[in-house]
């Protein structure tokens, strides 16, 4: 069905309300109550035109930041919220090195560049995250147990009821303020294992501007990748 110039795939089902979804590929679909006829559906979708355009704009912005990086001279990589260029050098040291705002990688190390970058981010995040946890754990009155930097599925960080906290190595790509937010978010989960208002109040007490960090992640999150 075409609504305001947008093709919308209609899926009828036994439901009471209309929901609009932007699919992974950017196409739009609407789930609608089976009892509605085409005119009724069109009326409802037209009334939601603003919401559809807003969701599409968000989808476009998120996907523009998703990049496939190659490990060649001049390619840029995120580190603590900024982009730095890669320089390929003759001597191979078996690691990714970072100094004077430039990444360095040896010619011979290029085939395993991705692995070496992951190693770099893991090490850096490990050294950054512990002092941040130390800073906030007493303020929140929590006692985190094991802290691990690892590869996580579809999330930046996670915690267990027993107090273990895991961070994705990609967090090293975020600005330090965002890192602080991620730590406070996970530590606050050791008090409230949910996203209720009580949980957010706990975050807000420590970081009153936390919505700025959430916003940064919304806009740049998809670019935090290799
Ligand atoms: Zn959470």
């Amino acid at each position: 069905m075409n609504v305001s110039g947008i093709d919308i795939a209609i899926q009828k089902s036994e439901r009471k309300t209309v929901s609009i979804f932007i699919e992974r590929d950017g196409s739009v679909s609407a789930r609608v109550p089976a009892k509605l006829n085409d005119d009724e559906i069109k009326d409802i979708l037209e009334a939601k035109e603003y919401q559809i355009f807003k969701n599409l704009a968000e989808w476009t912005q998120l996907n523009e930041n998703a990049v496939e990086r190659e490990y060649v001279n001049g390619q840029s990589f995120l580190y603590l919220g900024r982009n730095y260029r890669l320089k390929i050098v003759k001597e191979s040291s078996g690691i990714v090195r970072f100094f004077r705002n430039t990444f360095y990688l040896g010619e011979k190390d290029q085939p395993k560049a991705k692995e070496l970058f992951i190693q770099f981010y893991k090490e850096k995040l490990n050294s950054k995250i512990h002092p941040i946890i130390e800073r906030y754990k007493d303020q929140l009155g929590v006692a985190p147990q094991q802290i691990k930097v690892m590869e996580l599925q579809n999330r930046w960080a996670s915690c267990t009821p027993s107090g273990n906290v895991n961070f994705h190595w990609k967090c090293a790509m975020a600005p330090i303020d965002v890192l602080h937010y991620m730590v406070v978010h996970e530590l606050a989960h050791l008090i409230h294992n949910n996203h209720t208002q009580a949980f957010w109040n706990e975050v807000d007490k420590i970081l009153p501007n936390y919505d700025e960090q959430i916003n940064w992640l919304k806009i740049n999150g998809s670019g935090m990748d290799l």
Side-chain angles (χ1 to χ4, degrees):
M1 178 178 290
N2 193 293
V3 176
S4 310
I6 299 166
D7 267 323
I8 303 181
I10 306 297
Q11 301 162 8
K12 291 192 174 185
S13 65
E14 292 309 317
R15 55 183 297 143
K16 290 196 166 64
T17 56
V18 172
S19 301
I20 294 159
F21 297 88
I22 310 294
E23 307 290 353
R24 258 173 193 282
D25 63 0
S27 63
V28 184
S29 53
R31 290 170 209 164
V32 304
K35 64 178 167 49
L36 295 182
N37 67 38
D38 281 0
D39 284 342
E40 289 168 324
I41 294 169
K42 201 167 172 115
D43 279 348
I44 294 171
L45 292 178
E46 273 171 0
K48 288 177 182 280
E49 181 195 87
Y50 172 77
Q51 188 202 330
I52 298 170
F53 278 113
K54 192 165 155 275
N55 290 353
L56 269 176
E58 273 173 16
W59 183 90
T60 307
Q61 192 177 29
L62 287 177
N63 284 275
E64 267 171 4
N65 285 324
V67 282
E68 184 72 37
R69 288 187 169 84
E70 282 180 290
Y71 302 90
V72 294
N73 244 334
Q75 179 67 259
S76 63
F77 292 87
L78 260 180
Y79 176 44
L80 297 177
R82 290 188 56 193
N83 275 296
Y84 299 101
R85 298 218 178 266
L86 172 65
K87 203 171 163 146
I88 303 294
V89 291
K90 283 250 173 293
E91 326 77 65
S92 293
S93 54
I95 54 165
V96 167
R97 288 179 303 141
F98 180 78
F99 64 90
R100 290 192 189 151
N101 294 337
T102 306
F103 285 107
Y104 293 89
L105 181 71
E107 261 172 16
K108 287 200 189 75
D109 295 330
Q110 256 174 307
K112 48 180 179 160
K114 184 170 182 170
E115 202 182 305
L116 297 177
F117 262 96
I118 292 174
Q119 196 57 39
F120 171 87
Y121 287 121
K122 277 186 177 167
E123 279 169 22
K124 292 296 177 185
L125 188 62
N126 247 316
S127 69
K128 304 272 174 212
I129 212 93
H130 289 277
I132 301 176
I133 290 169
E134 285 305 309
R135 173 168 165 177
Y136 294 115
K137 69 175 197 195
D138 292 341
Q139 279 188 58
L140 282 156
V142 294
Q145 301 299 304
Q146 261 187 27
I147 311 296
K148 272 195 201 146
V149 172
M150 59 202 288
E151 175 118 17
L152 294 169
Q153 294 256 305
N154 302 319
R155 53 210 300 193
W156 304 121
S158 67
C159 60
T160 67
S162 55
N164 294 338
V165 188
N166 304 314
F167 292 93
H168 200 301
W169 53 263
K170 288 177 186 174
C171 294
M173 295 179 171
I176 204 83
D177 288 352
V178 174
L179 219 47
H180 281 240
Y181 160 71
M182 287 167 160
V183 167
V184 170
H185 183 120
E186 290 314 312
L187 294 184
H189 273 321
L190 301 182
I191 306 170
H192 302 283
N193 196 18
N194 50 45
H195 292 115
T196 55
Q197 195 53 50
F199 164 81
W200 290 112
N201 288 346
E202 218 53 68
V203 176
D204 186 67
K205 265 192 252 169
I206 311 275
L207 302 173
N209 298 324
Y210 71 89
D211 51 336
E212 283 173 27
Q213 321 320 336
I214 292 178
N215 221 17
W216 189 94
L217 282 168
K218 255 193 193 165
I219 295 167
N220 300 285
S222 63
M224 287 166 63
D225 209 348
L226 282 175

